[in-house]
């Protein structure tokens, strides 16, 4: 005959991960933050240390640097230079360049440290309000430890996602305190940093609904959300803002083409993130088996972030950064009903994983950056400061490294061929370009033909041989003069006789 379940086992099964505590809100404690802030600041600096090793980490940083220079020279976003991104981060880069000069990304790397620190502080505050002082420390520390848990090119870059994260955390922090106008503004800032940042609106709306919303609360949220977005659209051009941030990315977001390639990338990046979260995932899974969670908004936050990662079907590693704040809070929630030694084990495991990712970032070579640097040196040696050049590739950082003006508003071949996202299947070519891109490109070429064209396709699907318009333009007025590590350098014929 089986023995009856013990009282202790039944009590464990009846436990629930606590939701926001209405009965207990910690009193403001300066001493608490005086002790915690230096710890989080030191940890943020350590975890971002590899970001200072290289001039830049990925093409997104290069794209932003080139955009910022063009904007500083009087250019207009979505007119003189274009990208499928909202304007907030390009403006941030342009502001940093205006204050500190445009020859280094060091100020942006420091701002990225500050963004990660702010995210950790907001998560710590959220957890402290829900589960107490210890949970606040756990959430802040766990977030920073897992924040580098991806390929260093994705985790260490001062990218769109890094500046999106504090906005999403701020939206949840404000909604948790029923500050609906501020919550809406934070959601808007998240969207203006990157479109997928707007996914945090779902858990914010849940918190609004759960609290018994009044019309006044809903209007405050709507006003806070709409005002910054409308202001940004007015500051650029409303039609250009709408096209480049929402309606002009149909081909880019399609799943057709290179399905196995992008799915493999998604699975690999998910596995890398799971390794980084090895200290968090087991407590979450264990608690889910024995208890029900009352923190529905955290699960909605995670679910909406997963949807943001899936959107577009590209699965780049830096997309996964958006999962880290809700994962840190869910891990903290799970640890609250487990023995204290499980919290220590989770922090230690996360710390060990963090150390491995830091070693990866500090020791791994950057062959693509070395290649881009050599190309930039070649361009600089064969052109003058006033010459326009065209780098036909997916590494726009070459313009910034060479300190030369792009010959086109389209800084990568991706916008003109849909190669963006690493697609190498059938949906790459002129007919898959952003709508209206090729007429604009041809007009730019006629008005200001580039002095130098660098074909850096190196046999990829967007090579000039597969792009008739570019192939014809090169055949008529240009001759190959150099080959640099597989890249072909073309010089304008009428310039060679000078």
């Amino acid at each position: 005959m089986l023995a009856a379940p013990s009282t202790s086992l039944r009590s464990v099964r009846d436990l629930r991960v606590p939701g926001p505590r209405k009965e207990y809100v910690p009193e403001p404690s300066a001493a608490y933050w005086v002790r915690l802030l230096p710890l989080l600041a030191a940890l943020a600096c350590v975890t971002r240390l590899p970001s200072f090793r290289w001039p830049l980490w990925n093409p997104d940083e290069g794209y932003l640097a080139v955009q910022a220079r063009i904007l500083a020279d009087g250019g207009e976003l979505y007119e003189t230079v274009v990208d499928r991104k909202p304007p907030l981060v390009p403006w941030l880069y342009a502001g940093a360049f205006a204050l500190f000069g445009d020859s280094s990304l060091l100020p942006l790397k420091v701002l990225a440290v500050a963004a990660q620190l702010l995210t950790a502080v907001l998560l710590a505050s959220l957890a402290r309000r829900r589960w107490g002082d210890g949970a606040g420390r756990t959430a802040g520390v766990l977030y920073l430890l897992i924040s580098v848990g991806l390929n260093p090119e994705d985790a260490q870059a001062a990218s769109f996602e890094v500046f999106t994260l504090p906005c999403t955390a701020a939206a949840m922090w404000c909604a948790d305190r029923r500050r609906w106008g501020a919550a809406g503004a934070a959601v808007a800032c998240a969207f203006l940093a990157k479109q997928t940042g707007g996914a945090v609106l779902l858990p914010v709306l849940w918190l609004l609904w759960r609290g018994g919303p009044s019309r006044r609360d809903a209007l405050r949220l709507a006003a806070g959300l709409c005002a910054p977005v409308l202001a940004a659209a007015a500051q650029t051009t409303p039609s250009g803002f709408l096209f480049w941030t929402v309606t002009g990315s149909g081909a880019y977001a399609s799943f057709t083409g290179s399905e196995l390639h992008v799915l493999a990338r998604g699975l690999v990046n998910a596995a890398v993130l799971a390794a980084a979260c090895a200290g968090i995932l087991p407590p979450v899974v264990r608690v889910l088996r024995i208890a029900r969670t009352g923190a529905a908004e955290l699960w909605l936050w995670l679910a909406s972030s997963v949807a943001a990662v899936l959107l577009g079907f590209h699965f780049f590693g830096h997309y996964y950064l958006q999962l880290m704040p809700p994962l840190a809070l869910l891990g903290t929630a799970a640890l609250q009903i487990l023995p204290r030694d499980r919290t220590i084990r989770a922090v230690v495991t996360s710390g060990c994983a963090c150390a491995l990712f830091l070693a990866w970032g500090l020791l791994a070579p950057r062959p693509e950056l070395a290649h881009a640097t050599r190309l930039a040196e070649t361009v600089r040696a064969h052109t003058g400061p006033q010459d326009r050049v065209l780098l036909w590739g997916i590494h726009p950082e070459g313009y910034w490294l060479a300190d030369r003006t792009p010959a086109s508003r389209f800084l990568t071949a991706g916008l003109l061929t849909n190669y963006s996202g690493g697609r190498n299947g059938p949906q790459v070519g002129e007919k898959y370009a952003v709508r209206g891109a090729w007429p604009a490109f041809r007009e730019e070429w006629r008005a200001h033909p580039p002095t130098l064209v660098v074909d850096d396709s190196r046999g990829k699907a967007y090579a000039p041989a597969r792009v008739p318009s570019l192939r014809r333009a090169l055949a008529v007025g240009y001759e190959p003069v150099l080959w640099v590590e597989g890249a072909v350098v073309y010089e304008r014929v009428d310039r060679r006789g000078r």
Side-chain angles (χ1 to χ4, degrees):
M1 186 172 179
L2 295 175
S6 66
T7 303
S8 60
L9 180 57
R10 285 199 301 268
S11 64
V12 168
R13 286 176 174 166
D14 290 338
L15 285 172
R16 290 169 172 77
V17 178
R21 292 186 174 181
K22 303 301 182 183
E23 75 280 3
Y24 169 66
V25 177
E27 292 296 324
S29 173
Y32 177 82
W33 292 108
V34 165
R35 289 192 299 269
L36 183 57
L37 280 176
L39 170 64
L40 295 181
L43 194 53
C45 291
V46 170
T47 54
R48 299 293 299 180
L49 191 61
S51 69
F52 295 90
R53 183 186 175 202
W54 300 106
L56 46 77
W57 273 96
N58 65 21
D60 279 354
E61 285 184 316
Y63 209 116
L64 285 163
V66 179
Q67 279 184 303
R69 274 186 176 168
I70 294 173
L71 294 178
D73 289 338
E76 297 180 21
L77 198 58
Y78 309 130
E79 293 289 339
T80 314
V81 63
V82 296
D83 191 15
R84 293 186 177 100
K85 298 292 193 302
L88 188 59
V89 182
W91 286 342
L92 181 66
Y93 267 65
F97 280 7
L99 290 174
F100 304 105
D102 63 3
S103 61
S104 171
L105 296 188
L106 180 61
L108 280 308
K109 296 175 188 291
V110 173
L111 284 176
V113 175
Q116 291 289 53
L117 174 59
L118 177 57
T119 305
V121 169
L122 290 168
L123 296 178
S125 181
L126 274 166
R128 183 186 181 219
R129 187 169 189 257
R130 291 162 178 261
W131 307 302
D133 292 351
R137 288 189 290 269
T138 300
V141 169
L142 283 177
Y143 170 72
L144 289 172
L145 291 177
I146 69 172
S147 67
V148 295
L150 292 166
N151 186 313
E153 293 185 18
D154 299 306
Q156 295 293 339
S159 61
F160 295 95
E161 288 80 7
V162 167
F163 296 111
T164 301
L165 296 181
C167 301
T168 61
M172 292 297 290
W173 188 93
C174 293
D176 194 52
R177 288 157 175 78
R178 301 186 61 79
R179 300 176 183 176
W180 300 115
V187 174
C189 289
F191 171 81
L192 291 172
K194 189 178 180 185
Q195 295 95 320
T196 53
V200 75
L201 180 61
L202 180 61
V204 168
L205 287 174
W206 167 264
L207 287 170
L208 175 67
W209 176 82
R210 193 187 65 184
S214 65
R215 177 178 293 184
R216 186 176 183 180
D217 290 339
L219 288 175
R220 284 178 175 175
L221 178 63
L225 175 62
C226 294
V229 175
L230 293 175
Q235 185 65 28
T236 54
T237 57
S239 60
F241 176 87
L242 180 64
F243 178 80
W244 286 103
T245 62
V246 181
T247 64
S249 300
Y252 179 82
S254 171
F255 187 61
T256 305
S258 306
E259 290 87 350
L260 292 178
H261 176 67
V262 295
L263 283 174
R265 181 198 298 149
L267 292 174
V268 168
N269 285 324
V272 173
L273 178 60
C277 296
I280 292 177
L281 295 181
V284 172
V285 173
R286 178 179 175 82
V287 166
L288 284 178
R289 288 194 299 117
I290 64 174
R292 288 177 292 173
T293 174
E297 64 275 9
L298 299 184
W299 289 106
L300 280 173
W301 191 5
L302 179 62
S304 64
S305 299
V306 170
V309 172
L310 296 175
L311 188 65
F313 305 105
H314 291 284
F315 307 118
F316 286 124
H318 49 87
Y319 290 8
Y320 290 73
L321 289 171
Q322 202 164 331
L323 304 178
M324 292 177 175
L327 281 174
L329 283 181
L330 285 169
T332 302
L335 291 168
Q336 300 315 300
I337 65 169
L338 293 174
R340 181 174 175 76
D341 66 294
R342 292 301 300 270
T343 299
I344 297 173
R345 190 186 309 173
V347 172
V348 170
T349 302
S350 299
C352 292
C354 178
L356 292 176
F357 282 101
L358 289 179
W360 185 4
L362 290 169
L363 300 177
R366 290 292 321 284
E368 284 299 328
L369 177 60
H371 174 76
T373 301
R374 282 188 282 272
L375 281 184
E377 291 170 351
T378 301
V379 168
R380 194 162 49 244
H382 289 80
T383 58
Q386 304 305 316
D387 289 332
R388 294 172 178 262
V389 300
L390 176 70
L391 302 181
W392 185 254
I394 56 173
H395 290 278
E397 60 267 29
Y399 293 115
W400 181 69
L401 294 168
D403 194 15
R404 293 296 182 265
T405 302
S408 172
R409 74 193 70 186
F410 306 103
L411 301 185
T412 70
L415 296 172
L416 292 157
T417 64
N418 196 40
Y419 187 80
S420 304
R423 297 208 188 280
N424 54 10
Q427 289 202 5
V428 175
E430 281 189 51
K431 66 179 180 178
Y432 300 109
V434 173
R435 187 175 73 250
W438 275 102
F441 181 80
R442 295 187 189 100
E443 179 59 33
E444 290 172 329
W445 192 290
R446 284 192 294 269
H448 302 285
T451 300
L452 217 63
V453 177
V454 179
D455 169 23
D456 194 28
S457 58
R458 289 176 279 172
K460 294 185 175 66
Y462 59 90
R466 299 179 59 179
V467 183
S469 292
L470 180 63
R471 184 176 67 246
R472 287 192 294 269
L474 290 174
V476 170
Y478 292 81
E479 289 184 358
V481 293
L482 286 172
W483 285 259
V484 182
E485 298 177 346
V488 184
V489 180
Y490 292 84
E491 191 174 36
R492 204 168 66 224
V493 173
D494 62 358
R495 183 176 182 269
R496 296 193 65 189
R498 296 181 184 179

